[in-house]
Amino acid sequence: MNTPLVPASTFINGGDFGYARDDGTPTWVALEQLMGRLEGGTALAFASGMAAVAAVFELLPVGAHIVWPDDCYQGVAGVVTAGERQGRWTSRRIPVADTVQWVDAAASADLIWIESPSNPLLSIADLPAIASASRRTGSILAVDNTLATPLNQRPLAVGADISMTSATKFIGGHSDLLCGITVCGDDELATRIAEVRLLHGATPGNLEAYLAVRGLRTLSLRMERAQANAVDLAARLVDHPAVGSVRYPGMPAHPQHELAARLLDGFGTIVSFDVNGGARAADSFLSQVRLIVHATSFGSVESTIERRSAIPGQEHLPAGLVRMNVGIEDVEDLWRDLDQALAV
């Protein structure tokens, strides 16, 4: 009934596996097969989401030009800026929702890296339009699909070349593993990424792959419950006197709500909102939550929350902005915790 955990680095000659770094193990192959079917391409598992990100950027020649979003995971920003300092490439940042700029920039891009919904401002990109432009110009389009998951969005189906997911988040779902996944629609591109993984040794652990497969079994149920909670809490937060802007693609007031409704099969579990009074008020609020965990990361069964501008590299964000990952707890328990903490 369960995918076996195969803790082997070396296999007897003559079978499907030889040395694990070269050929994988039955445990990570099972994870890759599952993710490949969900996303519609060839999947490769990595030691972390950042290992998967780095493998994509390693495809680029010296002098390449990268187009990437103004709102994205800070680890991606670190990779791009470090490469620029080293003279490996040049880059241009574009607002996630500015389709005209993305389409225009595709003409000069070797790699278009997009994150939609974006983290933490939850902007939505018009992926079909950007994919159409990238195909015309021959640039590689890579989509960070971590927030959406393959249940809500399948980038390869609308023309992306690579879909990248941090399986640490929703795929695993229990805050107990590090793993990343790339899925390619083209086998030649997948082979190139596999070579990077091999040479850099960025292979996943067998326990982590086992836990990710286990997590996938409940992904649909977890997402259904957590998204229902997120919709409910976002609507209540809008009317709370201690809260300013609420960012959630499922709300009609979201600037890209219609686009999100057209492109996504669900609006996700992340709700970002501004606490009135700025950083001090937001920190006071976070010190008072009891059920919701004051912690970084997201995608877990438990609800987590943090002030993003307190994170190094995120100082440009609104001072009072908090990002909440809504979990699968009882929604009334979650609301009581938010309400009492905001009242302090």
Side-chain angles (χ1 to χ4, degrees):
M1 292 293 292
N2 285 301
T3 297
L5 174 62
V6 182
S9 60
T10 306
F11 295 80
I12 298 170
N13 288 340
D16 293 331
F17 300 92
Y19 185 59
R21 185 167 61 87
D22 297 330
D23 305 316
T25 73
T27 312
W28 10 309
V29 166
L31 173 60
E32 291 173 342
Q33 289 174 341
L34 282 169
M35 286 298 294
R37 288 200 293 268
L38 283 171
E39 293 265 20
T42 301
L44 293 164
F46 289 81
S48 67
M50 278 306 302
V53 169
V56 174
F57 283 87
E58 283 294 321
L59 299 176
L60 298 175
V62 174
H65 183 61
I66 299 165
V67 180
W68 58 301
D70 64 341
D71 184 41
C72 68
Y73 180 58
Q74 62 188 34
V76 172
V79 169
V80 176
T81 55
E84 283 195 299
R85 285 197 306 270
Q86 296 159 9
R88 295 184 61 187
W89 49 60
T90 59
S91 79
R92 173 185 174 187
R93 298 192 82 166
I94 294 176
V96 174
D98 193 334
T99 306
V100 172
Q101 283 202 56
W102 285 105
V103 170
D104 289 345
S108 60
D110 294 288
L111 172 67
I112 300 172
W113 182 277
I114 189 76
E115 183 175 319
S116 181
S118 67
N119 175 23
L121 298 179
L122 303 175
S123 295
I124 306 296
D126 190 339
L127 290 185
I130 298 169
S132 178
S134 73
R135 286 195 298 272
R136 289 195 302 270
T137 61
S139 52
I140 296 173
L141 173 59
V143 179
D144 185 336
N145 203 39
T146 302
L147 265 71
T149 81
L151 296 187
N152 287 343
Q153 178 172 260
R154 287 157 296 283
L156 302 187
V158 297
D161 299 293
I162 302 169
S163 178
M164 192 290 299
T165 299
S166 173
T168 305
K169 313 299 194 297
F170 296 102
I171 303 303
H174 293 79
S175 303
D176 57 7
L177 66 92
L178 293 175
C179 185
I181 308 283
T182 61
V183 188
C184 299
D186 178 76
D187 285 341
E188 181 182 353
L189 188 57
T191 299
R192 291 171 60 196
I193 293 177
E195 183 180 36
V196 173
R197 180 181 69 175
L198 173 66
L199 294 175
H200 289 248
T203 53
N206 279 291
L207 175 60
E208 288 77 11
Y210 173 84
L211 292 172
V213 171
R214 185 194 65 177
L216 276 169
R217 289 178 157 188
T218 60
L219 176 62
S220 180
L221 290 170
R222 290 185 283 108
M223 289 294 287
E224 181 180 353
R225 172 64 174 263
Q227 286 182 145
N229 284 351
V231 170
D232 190 329
L233 295 178
R236 299 193 202 195
L237 285 166
V238 167
D239 296 325
H240 199 287
V243 173
S245 298
V246 178
R247 298 169 176 84
Y248 184 66
M251 298 178 61
H254 187 282
Q256 292 98 48
H257 172 69
E258 291 185 6
L259 182 64
R262 175 161 58 86
L263 297 182
L264 300 173
D265 292 330
F267 297 115
T269 75
I270 306 298
V271 179
S272 293
F273 59 94
D274 295 309
V275 177
N276 292 333
R280 178 176 292 184
D283 287 340
S284 175
F285 156 67
L286 293 174
S287 72
Q288 297 300 315
V289 292
R290 295 293 177 263
L291 174 62
I292 301 170
V293 183
H294 185 196
T296 196
S297 200
F298 55 87
S300 53
V301 292
E302 58 276 332
S303 296
T304 57
I305 197 165
E306 65 178 340
R307 183 169 68 85
R308 290 304 297 171
S309 65
I311 307 299
Q314 301 279 281
E315 296 89 352
H316 63 284
L317 294 169
L321 176 75
V322 297
R323 183 191 68 189
M324 178 170 61
N325 164 68
V326 182
I328 64 172
E329 302 94 339
D330 181 87
V331 71
E332 295 301 331
D333 288 345
L334 291 172
W335 176 246
R336 278 192 290 270
D337 194 29
L338 286 171
D339 190 37
Q340 64 83 23
L342 287 165
V344 173

